[in-house]
PDB file of all heavy atoms in Angstrom:
ATOM      1  N   ASP A   1      13.600  -0.910  11.849  1.00 98.00           N
ATOM      2  CA  ASP A   1      12.357  -1.629  11.878  1.00 98.00           C
ATOM      3  C   ASP A   1      11.219  -0.798  11.318  1.00 98.00           C
ATOM      4  O   ASP A   1      10.373  -1.267  10.567  1.00 98.00           O
ATOM      5  CB  ASP A   1      12.023  -2.089  13.341  1.00 98.00           C
ATOM      6  CG  ASP A   1      12.889  -3.229  13.806  1.00 98.00           C
ATOM      7  OD1 ASP A   1      13.579  -3.881  12.958  1.00 98.00           O
ATOM      8  OD2 ASP A   1      12.919  -3.483  15.037  1.00 98.00           O
ATOM      9  N   GLN A   2      11.177   0.504  11.682  1.00 97.00           N
ATOM     10  CA  GLN A   2      10.151   1.395  11.140  1.00 97.00           C
ATOM     11  C   GLN A   2      10.313   1.572   9.618  1.00 97.00           C
ATOM     12  O   GLN A   2       9.325   1.622   8.904  1.00 97.00           O
ATOM     13  CB  GLN A   2      10.194   2.741  11.848  1.00 97.00           C
ATOM     14  CG  GLN A   2       9.073   3.660  11.470  1.00 97.00           C
ATOM     15  CD  GLN A   2       7.662   3.012  11.681  1.00 97.00           C
ATOM     16  OE1 GLN A   2       7.381   2.485  12.751  1.00 97.00           O
ATOM     17  NE2 GLN A   2       6.848   2.965  10.655  1.00 97.00           N
ATOM     18  N   MET A   3      11.561   1.644   9.206  1.00 98.00           N
ATOM     19  CA  MET A   3      11.779   1.756   7.727  1.00 98.00           C
ATOM     20  C   MET A   3      11.242   0.522   7.014  1.00 98.00           C
ATOM     21  O   MET A   3      10.655   0.638   5.953  1.00 98.00           O
ATOM     22  CB  MET A   3      13.295   1.902   7.449  1.00 98.00           C
ATOM     23  CG  MET A   3      13.863   3.224   7.804  1.00 98.00           C
ATOM     24  SD  MET A   3      15.626   3.231   7.415  1.00 98.00           S
ATOM     25  CE  MET A   3      16.202   4.497   8.449  1.00 98.00           C
ATOM     26  N   LEU A   4      11.468  -0.634   7.605  1.00 98.00           N
ATOM     27  CA  LEU A   4      10.955  -1.886   7.037  1.00 98.00           C
ATOM     28  C   LEU A   4       9.430  -1.924   6.994  1.00 98.00           C
ATOM     29  O   LEU A   4       8.853  -2.373   5.994  1.00 98.00           O
ATOM     30  CB  LEU A   4      11.498  -3.105   7.763  1.00 98.00           C
ATOM     31  CG  LEU A   4      13.000  -3.434   7.502  1.00 98.00           C
ATOM     32  CD1 LEU A   4      13.482  -4.488   8.447  1.00 98.00           C
ATOM     33  CD2 LEU A   4      13.172  -3.857   6.063  1.00 98.00           C
ATOM     34  N   VAL A   5       8.778  -1.412   8.011  1.00 97.00           N
ATOM     35  CA  VAL A   5       7.336  -1.338   8.010  1.00 97.00           C
ATOM     36  C   VAL A   5       6.843  -0.490   6.849  1.00 97.00           C
ATOM     37  O   VAL A   5       5.933  -0.891   6.082  1.00 97.00           O
ATOM     38  CB  VAL A   5       6.802  -0.792   9.385  1.00 97.00           C
ATOM     39  CG1 VAL A   5       5.329  -0.377   9.263  1.00 97.00           C
ATOM     40  CG2 VAL A   5       7.011  -1.815  10.490  1.00 97.00           C
ATOM     41  N   THR A   6       7.456   0.663   6.677  1.00 96.00           N
ATOM     42  CA  THR A   6       7.101   1.540   5.568  1.00 96.00           C
ATOM     43  C   THR A   6       7.372   0.910   4.211  1.00 96.00           C
ATOM     44  O   THR A   6       6.515   0.955   3.330  1.00 96.00           O
ATOM     45  CB  THR A   6       7.863   2.868   5.692  1.00 96.00           C
ATOM     46  OG1 THR A   6       7.563   3.462   6.952  1.00 96.00           O
ATOM     47  CG2 THR A   6       7.498   3.868   4.607  1.00 96.00           C
ATOM     48  N   LEU A   7       8.524   0.306   4.056  1.00 98.00           N
ATOM     49  CA  LEU A   7       8.851  -0.328   2.795  1.00 98.00           C
ATOM     50  C   LEU A   7       7.915  -1.493   2.501  1.00 98.00           C
ATOM     51  O   LEU A   7       7.497  -1.671   1.334  1.00 98.00           O
ATOM     52  CB  LEU A   7      10.299  -0.822   2.805  1.00 98.00           C
ATOM     53  CG  LEU A   7      11.356   0.284   2.646  1.00 98.00           C
ATOM     54  CD1 LEU A   7      12.754  -0.284   2.948  1.00 98.00           C
ATOM     55  CD2 LEU A   7      11.327   0.893   1.260  1.00 98.00           C
ATOM     56  N   ASN A   8       7.547  -2.272   3.509  1.00 97.00           N
ATOM     57  CA  ASN A   8       6.602  -3.362   3.273  1.00 97.00           C
ATOM     58  C   ASN A   8       5.250  -2.835   2.881  1.00 97.00           C
ATOM     59  O   ASN A   8       4.607  -3.423   1.993  1.00 97.00           O
ATOM     60  CB  ASN A   8       6.483  -4.247   4.566  1.00 97.00           C
ATOM     61  CG  ASN A   8       7.675  -5.132   4.747  1.00 97.00           C
ATOM     62  OD1 ASN A   8       8.306  -5.562   3.771  1.00 97.00           O
ATOM     63  ND2 ASN A   8       8.013  -5.414   6.005  1.00 97.00           N
ATOM     64  N   TRP A   9       4.794  -1.738   3.479  1.00 96.00           N
ATOM     65  CA  TRP A   9       3.536  -1.117   3.088  1.00 96.00           C
ATOM     66  C   TRP A   9       3.626  -0.666   1.615  1.00 96.00           C
ATOM     67  O   TRP A   9       2.691  -0.917   0.814  1.00 96.00           O
ATOM     68  CB  TRP A   9       3.212   0.068   4.032  1.00 96.00           C
ATOM     69  CG  TRP A   9       1.846   0.618   3.723  1.00 96.00           C
ATOM     70  CD1 TRP A   9       0.696   0.308   4.341  1.00 96.00           C
ATOM     71  CD2 TRP A   9       1.511   1.601   2.710  1.00 96.00           C
ATOM     72  NE1 TRP A   9      -0.379   1.030   3.756  1.00 96.00           N
ATOM     73  CE2 TRP A   9       0.148   1.805   2.754  1.00 96.00           C
ATOM     74  CE3 TRP A   9       2.238   2.316   1.768  1.00 96.00           C
ATOM     75  CZ2 TRP A   9      -0.546   2.706   1.915  1.00 96.00           C
ATOM     76  CZ3 TRP A   9       1.585   3.188   0.939  1.00 96.00           C
ATOM     77  CH2 TRP A   9       0.207   3.379   1.004  1.00 96.00           C
ATOM     78  N   MET A  10       4.709  -0.005   1.268  1.00 97.00           N
ATOM     79  CA  MET A  10       4.882   0.502  -0.069  1.00 97.00           C
ATOM     80  C   MET A  10       4.864  -0.642  -1.102  1.00 97.00           C
ATOM     81  O   MET A  10       4.239  -0.573  -2.175  1.00 97.00           O
ATOM     82  CB  MET A  10       6.168   1.316  -0.218  1.00 97.00           C
ATOM     83  CG  MET A  10       6.144   2.629   0.555  1.00 97.00           C
ATOM     84  SD  MET A  10       7.795   3.419   0.700  1.00 97.00           S
ATOM     85  CE  MET A  10       8.157   3.796  -0.983  1.00 97.00           C
ATOM     86  N   LEU A  11       5.555  -1.703  -0.734  1.00 98.00           N
ATOM     87  CA  LEU A  11       5.608  -2.871  -1.635  1.00 98.00           C
ATOM     88  C   LEU A  11       4.225  -3.508  -1.804  1.00 98.00           C
ATOM     89  O   LEU A  11       3.805  -3.828  -2.937  1.00 98.00           O
ATOM     90  CB  LEU A  11       6.604  -3.891  -1.088  1.00 98.00           C
ATOM     91  CG  LEU A  11       6.825  -5.156  -1.914  1.00 98.00           C
ATOM     92  CD1 LEU A  11       7.347  -4.791  -3.318  1.00 98.00           C
ATOM     93  CD2 LEU A  11       7.781  -6.039  -1.222  1.00 98.00           C
ATOM     94  N   GLU A  12       3.516  -3.675  -0.690  1.00 97.00           N
ATOM     95  CA  GLU A  12       2.195  -4.242  -0.776  1.00 97.00           C
ATOM     96  C   GLU A  12       1.280  -3.349  -1.613  1.00 97.00           C
ATOM     97  O   GLU A  12       0.543  -3.821  -2.480  1.00 97.00           O
ATOM     98  CB  GLU A  12       1.634  -4.402   0.634  1.00 97.00           C
ATOM     99  CG  GLU A  12       0.239  -5.053   0.649  1.00 97.00           C
ATOM    100  CD  GLU A  12      -0.356  -5.223   2.036  1.00 97.00           C
ATOM    101  OE1 GLU A  12       0.393  -4.916   3.055  1.00 97.00           O
ATOM    102  OE2 GLU A  12      -1.513  -5.620   2.134  1.00 97.00           O
ATOM    103  N   TYR A  13       1.361  -2.039  -1.378  1.00 96.00           N
ATOM    104  CA  TYR A  13       0.501  -1.117  -2.132  1.00 96.00           C
ATOM    105  C   TYR A  13       0.797  -1.181  -3.630  1.00 96.00           C
ATOM    106  O   TYR A  13      -0.069  -1.287  -4.468  1.00 96.00           O
ATOM    107  CB  TYR A  13       0.691   0.309  -1.603  1.00 96.00           C
ATOM    108  CG  TYR A  13       0.011   1.333  -2.488  1.00 96.00           C
ATOM    109  CD1 TYR A  13      -1.359   1.496  -2.451  1.00 96.00           C
ATOM    110  CD2 TYR A  13       0.758   2.166  -3.362  1.00 96.00           C
ATOM    111  CE1 TYR A  13      -1.999   2.435  -3.268  1.00 96.00           C
ATOM    112  CE2 TYR A  13       0.174   3.091  -4.157  1.00 96.00           C
ATOM    113  CZ  TYR A  13      -1.234   3.216  -4.104  1.00 96.00           C
ATOM    114  OH  TYR A  13      -1.848   4.113  -4.895  1.00 96.00           O
ATOM    115  N   ARG A  14       2.091  -1.116  -3.984  1.00 97.00           N
ATOM    116  CA  ARG A  14       2.477  -1.121  -5.408  1.00 97.00           C
ATOM    117  C   ARG A  14       2.160  -2.455  -6.089  1.00 97.00           C
ATOM    118  O   ARG A  14       1.743  -2.503  -7.240  1.00 97.00           O
ATOM    119  CB  ARG A  14       3.979  -0.807  -5.580  1.00 97.00           C
ATOM    120  CG  ARG A  14       4.299   0.640  -5.318  1.00 97.00           C
ATOM    121  CD  ARG A  14       3.656   1.463  -6.420  1.00 97.00           C
ATOM    122  NE  ARG A  14       3.687   2.882  -6.106  1.00 97.00           N
ATOM    123  CZ  ARG A  14       3.363   3.828  -6.965  1.00 97.00           C
ATOM    124  NH1 ARG A  14       3.000   3.505  -8.203  1.00 97.00           N
ATOM    125  NH2 ARG A  14       3.363   5.062  -6.600  1.00 97.00           N
ATOM    126  N   THR A  15       2.263  -3.556  -5.350  1.00 97.00           N
ATOM    127  CA  THR A  15       1.902  -4.849  -5.889  1.00 97.00           C
ATOM    128  C   THR A  15       0.374  -4.914  -6.171  1.00 97.00           C
ATOM    129  O   THR A  15      -0.085  -5.364  -7.209  1.00 97.00           O
ATOM    130  CB  THR A  15       2.359  -5.984  -4.957  1.00 97.00           C
ATOM    131  OG1 THR A  15       3.752  -5.871  -4.781  1.00 97.00           O
ATOM    132  CG2 THR A  15       2.049  -7.310  -5.551  1.00 97.00           C
ATOM    133  N   LEU A  16      -0.375  -4.430  -5.186  1.00 96.00           N
ATOM    134  CA  LEU A  16      -1.799  -4.371  -5.340  1.00 96.00           C
ATOM    135  C   LEU A  16      -2.228  -3.417  -6.510  1.00 96.00           C
ATOM    136  O   LEU A  16      -3.135  -3.704  -7.288  1.00 96.00           O
ATOM    137  CB  LEU A  16      -2.518  -3.922  -4.069  1.00 96.00           C
ATOM    138  CG  LEU A  16      -2.693  -4.983  -3.010  1.00 96.00           C
ATOM    139  CD1 LEU A  16      -3.255  -4.341  -1.729  1.00 96.00           C
ATOM    140  CD2 LEU A  16      -3.604  -6.106  -3.457  1.00 96.00           C
ATOM    141  N   LEU A  17      -1.554  -2.306  -6.606  1.00 95.00           N
ATOM    142  CA  LEU A  17      -1.814  -1.340  -7.663  1.00 95.00           C
ATOM    143  C   LEU A  17      -1.653  -2.019  -9.054  1.00 95.00           C
ATOM    144  O   LEU A  17      -2.439  -1.769  -9.952  1.00 95.00           O
ATOM    145  CB  LEU A  17      -0.885  -0.138  -7.514  1.00 95.00           C
ATOM    146  CG  LEU A  17      -1.231   1.102  -8.324  1.00 95.00           C
ATOM    147  CD1 LEU A  17      -2.635   1.609  -7.986  1.00 95.00           C
ATOM    148  CD2 LEU A  17      -0.189   2.191  -8.102  1.00 95.00           C
ATOM    149  N   ARG A  18      -0.676  -2.862  -9.114  1.00 96.00           N
ATOM    150  CA  ARG A  18      -0.413  -3.586 -10.390  1.00 96.00           C
ATOM    151  C   ARG A  18      -1.440  -4.671 -10.614  1.00 96.00           C
ATOM    152  O   ARG A  18      -1.969  -4.838 -11.720  1.00 96.00           O
ATOM    153  CB  ARG A  18       0.973  -4.204 -10.343  1.00 96.00           C
ATOM    154  CG  ARG A  18       1.336  -4.981 -11.610  1.00 96.00           C
ATOM    155  CD  ARG A  18       2.610  -5.796 -11.449  1.00 96.00           C
ATOM    156  NE  ARG A  18       2.344  -6.832 -10.415  1.00 96.00           N
ATOM    157  CZ  ARG A  18       3.278  -7.472  -9.737  1.00 96.00           C
ATOM    158  NH1 ARG A  18       4.550  -7.151  -9.902  1.00 96.00           N
ATOM    159  NH2 ARG A  18       2.964  -8.389  -8.869  1.00 96.00           N
ATOM    160  N   ASP A  19      -1.764  -5.436  -9.561  1.00 96.00           N
ATOM    161  CA  ASP A  19      -2.604  -6.634  -9.688  1.00 96.00           C
ATOM    162  C   ASP A  19      -4.091  -6.439  -9.358  1.00 96.00           C
ATOM    163  O   ASP A  19      -4.915  -7.075 -10.016  1.00 96.00           O
ATOM    164  CB  ASP A  19      -2.045  -7.753  -8.771  1.00 96.00           C
ATOM    165  CG  ASP A  19      -0.627  -8.129  -9.112  1.00 96.00           C
ATOM    166  OD1 ASP A  19      -0.176  -7.908 -10.293  1.00 96.00           O
ATOM    167  OD2 ASP A  19       0.077  -8.673  -8.248  1.00 96.00           O
ATOM    168  N   GLU A  20      -4.349  -5.640  -8.387  1.00 96.00           N
ATOM    169  CA  GLU A  20      -5.737  -5.381  -7.946  1.00 96.00           C
ATOM    170  C   GLU A  20      -5.922  -3.915  -7.590  1.00 96.00           C
ATOM    171  O   GLU A  20      -5.975  -3.553  -6.417  1.00 96.00           O
ATOM    172  CB  GLU A  20      -6.076  -6.276  -6.770  1.00 96.00           C
ATOM    173  CG  GLU A  20      -5.903  -7.785  -7.028  1.00 96.00           C
ATOM    174  CD  GLU A  20      -6.233  -8.622  -5.808  1.00 96.00           C
ATOM    175  OE1 GLU A  20      -7.368  -8.518  -5.319  1.00 96.00           O
ATOM    176  OE2 GLU A  20      -5.327  -9.297  -5.318  1.00 96.00           O
ATOM    177  N   PRO A  21      -6.057  -3.035  -8.602  1.00 95.00           N
ATOM    178  CA  PRO A  21      -6.070  -1.591  -8.333  1.00 95.00           C
ATOM    179  C   PRO A  21      -7.145  -1.157  -7.357  1.00 95.00           C
ATOM    180  O   PRO A  21      -6.927  -0.248  -6.559  1.00 95.00           O
ATOM    181  CB  PRO A  21      -6.342  -1.037  -9.745  1.00 95.00           C
ATOM    182  CG  PRO A  21      -5.921  -2.053 -10.695  1.00 95.00           C
ATOM    183  CD  PRO A  21      -6.120  -3.384  -9.988  1.00 95.00           C
ATOM    184  N   GLN A  22      -8.312  -1.837  -7.378  1.00 96.00           N
ATOM    185  CA  GLN A  22      -9.372  -1.466  -6.403  1.00 96.00           C
ATOM    186  C   GLN A  22      -8.899  -1.653  -4.971  1.00 96.00           C
ATOM    187  O   GLN A  22      -9.149  -0.791  -4.117  1.00 96.00           O
ATOM    188  CB  GLN A  22     -10.649  -2.246  -6.701  1.00 96.00           C
ATOM    189  CG  GLN A  22     -11.840  -1.858  -5.849  1.00 96.00           C
ATOM    190  CD  GLN A  22     -12.218  -0.345  -5.959  1.00 96.00           C
ATOM    191  OE1 GLN A  22     -12.169   0.208  -7.051  1.00 96.00           O
ATOM    192  NE2 GLN A  22     -12.537   0.256  -4.856  1.00 96.00           N
ATOM    193  N   LYS A  23      -8.260  -2.763  -4.691  1.00 96.00           N
ATOM    194  CA  LYS A  23      -7.784  -3.049  -3.327  1.00 96.00           C
ATOM    195  C   LYS A  23      -6.671  -2.041  -2.943  1.00 96.00           C
ATOM    196  O   LYS A  23      -6.580  -1.628  -1.817  1.00 96.00           O
ATOM    197  CB  LYS A  23      -7.239  -4.478  -3.225  1.00 96.00           C
ATOM    198  CG  LYS A  23      -8.328  -5.525  -3.106  1.00 96.00           C
ATOM    199  CD  LYS A  23      -7.750  -6.859  -2.828  1.00 96.00           C
ATOM    200  CE  LYS A  23      -8.855  -7.900  -2.674  1.00 96.00           C
ATOM    201  NZ  LYS A  23      -8.316  -9.249  -2.383  1.00 96.00           N
ATOM    202  N   ALA A  24      -5.875  -1.658  -3.962  1.00 95.00           N
ATOM    203  CA  ALA A  24      -4.859  -0.652  -3.660  1.00 95.00           C
ATOM    204  C   ALA A  24      -5.444   0.666  -3.265  1.00 95.00           C
ATOM    205  O   ALA A  24      -4.972   1.327  -2.339  1.00 95.00           O
ATOM    206  CB  ALA A  24      -3.970  -0.493  -4.913  1.00 95.00           C
ATOM    207  N   GLN A  25      -6.511   1.080  -3.955  1.00 95.00           N
ATOM    208  CA  GLN A  25      -7.238   2.311  -3.595  1.00 95.00           C
ATOM    209  C   GLN A  25      -7.754   2.229  -2.186  1.00 95.00           C
ATOM    210  O   GLN A  25      -7.669   3.210  -1.413  1.00 95.00           O
ATOM    211  CB  GLN A  25      -8.302   2.615  -4.623  1.00 95.00           C
ATOM    212  CG  GLN A  25      -7.747   3.046  -6.020  1.00 95.00           C
ATOM    213  CD  GLN A  25      -6.785   4.234  -5.913  1.00 95.00           C
ATOM    214  OE1 GLN A  25      -7.076   5.222  -5.211  1.00 95.00           O
ATOM    215  NE2 GLN A  25      -5.660   4.133  -6.595  1.00 95.00           N
ATOM    216  N   GLU A  26      -8.339   1.098  -1.830  1.00 95.00           N
ATOM    217  CA  GLU A  26      -8.899   0.916  -0.490  1.00 95.00           C
ATOM    218  C   GLU A  26      -7.783   1.009   0.534  1.00 95.00           C
ATOM    219  O   GLU A  26      -7.938   1.640   1.625  1.00 95.00           O
ATOM    220  CB  GLU A  26      -9.614  -0.446  -0.384  1.00 95.00           C
ATOM    221  CG  GLU A  26     -10.878  -0.508  -1.199  1.00 95.00           C
ATOM    222  CD  GLU A  26     -11.436  -1.925  -1.325  1.00 95.00           C
ATOM    223  OE1 GLU A  26     -10.975  -2.823  -0.575  1.00 95.00           O
ATOM    224  OE2 GLU A  26     -12.344  -2.110  -2.146  1.00 95.00           O
ATOM    225  N   MET A  27      -6.647   0.381   0.225  1.00 95.00           N
ATOM    226  CA  MET A  27      -5.476   0.438   1.157  1.00 95.00           C
ATOM    227  C   MET A  27      -5.015   1.882   1.325  1.00 95.00           C
ATOM    228  O   MET A  27      -4.683   2.311   2.472  1.00 95.00           O
ATOM    229  CB  MET A  27      -4.356  -0.418   0.562  1.00 95.00           C
ATOM    230  CG  MET A  27      -3.186  -0.549   1.428  1.00 95.00           C
ATOM    231  SD  MET A  27      -1.945  -1.672   0.624  1.00 95.00           S
ATOM    232  CE  MET A  27      -0.572  -1.474   1.755  1.00 95.00           C
ATOM    233  N   LEU A  28      -4.977   2.637   0.226  1.00 93.00           N
ATOM    234  CA  LEU A  28      -4.531   4.021   0.298  1.00 93.00           C
ATOM    235  C   LEU A  28      -5.479   4.849   1.075  1.00 93.00           C
ATOM    236  O   LEU A  28      -5.079   5.704   1.937  1.00 93.00           O
ATOM    237  CB  LEU A  28      -4.379   4.564  -1.123  1.00 93.00           C
ATOM    238  CG  LEU A  28      -3.656   5.934  -1.262  1.00 93.00           C
ATOM    239  CD1 LEU A  28      -2.277   5.871  -0.661  1.00 93.00           C
ATOM    240  CD2 LEU A  28      -3.583   6.326  -2.730  1.00 93.00           C
ATOM    241  N   LYS A  29      -6.784   4.621   0.899  1.00 94.00           N
ATOM    242  CA  LYS A  29      -7.816   5.347   1.696  1.00 94.00           C
ATOM    243  C   LYS A  29      -7.661   5.057   3.186  1.00 94.00           C
ATOM    244  O   LYS A  29      -7.735   5.965   4.036  1.00 94.00           O
ATOM    245  CB  LYS A  29      -9.196   4.997   1.222  1.00 94.00           C
ATOM    246  CG  LYS A  29      -9.590   5.651  -0.084  1.00 94.00           C
ATOM    247  CD  LYS A  29     -11.034   5.210  -0.490  1.00 94.00           C
ATOM    248  CE  LYS A  29     -11.327   5.703  -1.862  1.00 94.00           C
ATOM    249  NZ  LYS A  29     -12.630   5.188  -2.368  1.00 94.00           N
ATOM    250  N   ALA A  30      -7.434   3.792   3.508  1.00 93.00           N
ATOM    251  CA  ALA A  30      -7.260   3.409   4.908  1.00 93.00           C
ATOM    252  C   ALA A  30      -5.996   4.076   5.500  1.00 93.00           C
ATOM    253  O   ALA A  30      -6.045   4.537   6.652  1.00 93.00           O
ATOM    254  CB  ALA A  30      -7.161   1.901   5.000  1.00 93.00           C
ATOM    255  N   TRP A  31      -5.003   4.149   4.722  1.00 91.00           N
ATOM    256  CA  TRP A  31      -3.766   4.835   5.202  1.00 91.00           C
ATOM    257  C   TRP A  31      -4.001   6.297   5.452  1.00 91.00           C
ATOM    258  O   TRP A  31      -3.580   6.804   6.476  1.00 91.00           O
ATOM    259  CB  TRP A  31      -2.627   4.577   4.169  1.00 91.00           C
ATOM    260  CG  TRP A  31      -1.362   5.242   4.601  1.00 91.00           C
ATOM    261  CD1 TRP A  31      -0.470   4.801   5.574  1.00 91.00           C
ATOM    262  CD2 TRP A  31      -0.825   6.503   4.128  1.00 91.00           C
ATOM    263  NE1 TRP A  31       0.564   5.674   5.679  1.00 91.00           N
ATOM    264  CE2 TRP A  31       0.411   6.730   4.808  1.00 91.00           C
ATOM    265  CE3 TRP A  31      -1.259   7.420   3.191  1.00 91.00           C
ATOM    266  CZ2 TRP A  31       1.138   7.849   4.598  1.00 91.00           C
ATOM    267  CZ3 TRP A  31      -0.453   8.525   2.957  1.00 91.00           C
ATOM    268  CH2 TRP A  31       0.753   8.740   3.675  1.00 91.00           C
ATOM    269  N   HIS A  32      -4.648   6.985   4.483  1.00 91.00           N
ATOM    270  CA  HIS A  32      -4.954   8.394   4.682  1.00 91.00           C
ATOM    271  C   HIS A  32      -5.861   8.612   5.883  1.00 91.00           C
ATOM    272  O   HIS A  32      -5.652   9.605   6.626  1.00 91.00           O
ATOM    273  CB  HIS A  32      -5.612   8.972   3.411  1.00 91.00           C
ATOM    274  CG  HIS A  32      -4.639   9.269   2.322  1.00 91.00           C
ATOM    275  ND1 HIS A  32      -3.604  10.155   2.456  1.00 91.00           N
ATOM    276  CD2 HIS A  32      -4.510   8.785   1.076  1.00 91.00           C
ATOM    277  CE1 HIS A  32      -2.904  10.265   1.351  1.00 91.00           C
ATOM    278  NE2 HIS A  32      -3.440   9.389   0.498  1.00 91.00           N
ATOM    279  N   ALA A  33      -6.831   7.736   6.106  1.00 91.00           N
ATOM    280  CA  ALA A  33      -7.691   7.869   7.232  1.00 91.00           C
ATOM    281  C   ALA A  33      -6.950   7.702   8.562  1.00 91.00           C
ATOM    282  O   ALA A  33      -7.166   8.429   9.511  1.00 91.00           O
ATOM    283  CB  ALA A  33      -8.846   6.846   7.146  1.00 91.00           C
ATOM    284  N   GLY A  34      -5.975   6.769   8.525  1.00 85.00           N
ATOM    285  CA  GLY A  34      -5.171   6.515   9.732  1.00 85.00           C
ATOM    286  C   GLY A  34      -4.172   7.626  10.021  1.00 85.00           C
ATOM    287  O   GLY A  34      -3.870   7.928  11.132  1.00 85.00           O
TER     288      GLY A  34
END
C-alpha cells in the first residue's frame, strides 16, 4: 500500500511535469516541505 502511494505520487508528478510544469514544481515544493 505504501509503495502504491509513492508510485501514485510519482505518476501524478510526472504527468503534471509533462502537462502543467508549474503545478509540478508546486507539488515538488510541497513534498520537500512535508
Side-chain angles (χ1 to χ4, degrees):
D1 286 345
Q2 187 55 51
M3 288 179 202
L4 284 171
V5 166
T6 301
L7 286 168
N8 285 330
W9 185 93
M10 292 167 65
L11 182 60
E12 183 181 354
Y13 171 74
R14 286 294 167 171
T15 302
L16 281 174
L17 193 59
R18 180 192 65 201
D19 299 338
E20 300 179 61
Q22 184 58 40
K23 283 188 178 180
Q25 290 305 315
E26 292 168 12
M27 184 179 174
L28 191 57
K29 284 179 188 175
W31 179 78
H32 282 298

